[in-house]
Amino acid sequence: MAGTATQYEPLLILCGGLSRRMGTPKALLPFRGHTLIHKLVSQTHPQRPIWLAAAGQSYADTGRAHYLHDALPERQGPLAAILPALQETYCQGRAGIYVLACDTLLQPEAIIKLLAQGAGRPAWQQGITLLADADSGRIHPLMSHWSAAVRQDLQAYLAQGGRKVSAWLDTQTCQTITMPQTWQAVSNFNTPVDFEHALAAAQALPEAT
């Protein structure tokens, strides 16, 4: 959980995408005088391990964060980035990891606190906990908690050629946690227009961003 010092599970930040629709790496987008990747790293609790899945890239101002290599070459999707983190967390004797894409203006610890409402349920121990929109119920697989127990199933899925996150989730025990409706506008973005809208919405959410 997010609780005591011995329970700070790692945060994996996905920041290796090509960002084709954005036209520039999302991790380097500016927000309040800093890049998004710097913001996410600096806002994470100092006792929480931070792992970056950057597909071979390296970013400035990432401080204590540790880079992990994808399980597959040539950017074959988020699942290939998540598997090494699950394997590493299992080797360290930890129960799971938090997963967060870099295209968000929300504070990592706010997301983690909300996800931790699902702790203690079967899906927390054996599956995946995801945030979902309040109005539509749309899930956010990359704002989530993954149990280390799913690592072998995920490895087998990738070995069989599976890459789609939605298809993978259909095979797993999952639970959703509804996020505040006001978070939706700043939760993620794919285009410059989306990003401008998120920046405007963030002005009304200083406590969450």
Side-chain angles (χ1 to χ4, degrees):
M1 291 175 54
T4 67
T6 58
Q7 295 175 321
Y8 284 101
E9 293 183 331
L11 170 65
L12 175 69
I13 301 175
L14 304 175
C15 52
L18 292 173
S19 305
R20 288 191 181 95
R21 284 187 286 171
M22 184 64 67
T24 189
K26 293 180 182 179
L28 299 180
L29 290 171
F31 182 63
R32 295 175 182 167
H34 298 283
T35 64
L36 288 187
I37 191 65
H38 172 81
K39 163 190 147 40
L40 294 175
V41 170
S42 64
Q43 289 181 337
T44 300
H45 193 285
Q47 292 180 285
R48 187 180 307 285
I50 303 173
W51 298 340
L52 303 182
Q57 300 175 88
S58 180
Y59 298 109
D61 299 324
T62 50
R64 61 189 177 86
H66 176 70
Y67 288 83
L68 296 179
H69 295 290
D70 287 6
L72 300 169
E74 300 178 356
R75 292 185 172 94
Q76 296 194 46
L79 295 179
I82 293 170
L83 176 58
L86 290 173
Q87 294 171 327
E88 179 65 20
T89 204
Y90 176 76
C91 289
Q92 293 185 7
R94 301 176 186 271
I97 60 170
Y98 293 95
V99 173
L100 182 61
C102 68
D103 61 332
T104 184
L105 299 185
L106 292 167
Q107 295 181 17
E109 293 298 331
I111 295 171
I112 288 170
K113 182 179 180 180
L114 184 57
L115 284 166
Q117 292 181 7
R121 302 174 191 168
W124 190 271
Q125 306 298 328
Q126 301 294 326
I128 303 167
T129 301
L130 314 100
L131 292 191
D133 288 347
D135 50 5
S136 66
R138 180 176 68 98
I139 61 172
H140 295 268
L142 305 184
M143 302 174 72
S144 51
H145 177 273
W146 296 53
S147 168
V150 306
R151 70 195 185 284
Q152 292 179 322
D153 284 352
L154 180 55
Q155 184 174 21
Y157 179 77
L158 290 172
Q160 294 165 3
R163 300 292 184 269
K164 291 185 178 180
V165 177
S166 58
W168 156 254
L169 292 176
D170 287 343
T171 70
Q172 299 301 304
T173 300
C174 296
Q175 65 175 335
T176 59
I177 305 293
T178 300
M179 68 177 175
Q181 192 162 0
T182 52
W183 285 20
Q184 292 179 203
V186 298
S187 61
N188 68 289
F189 29 83
N190 293 308
T191 68
V193 172
D194 292 343
F195 184 51
E196 290 300 319
H197 289 165
L199 291 175
Q203 300 302 314
L205 289 172
E207 73 288 347
T209 60

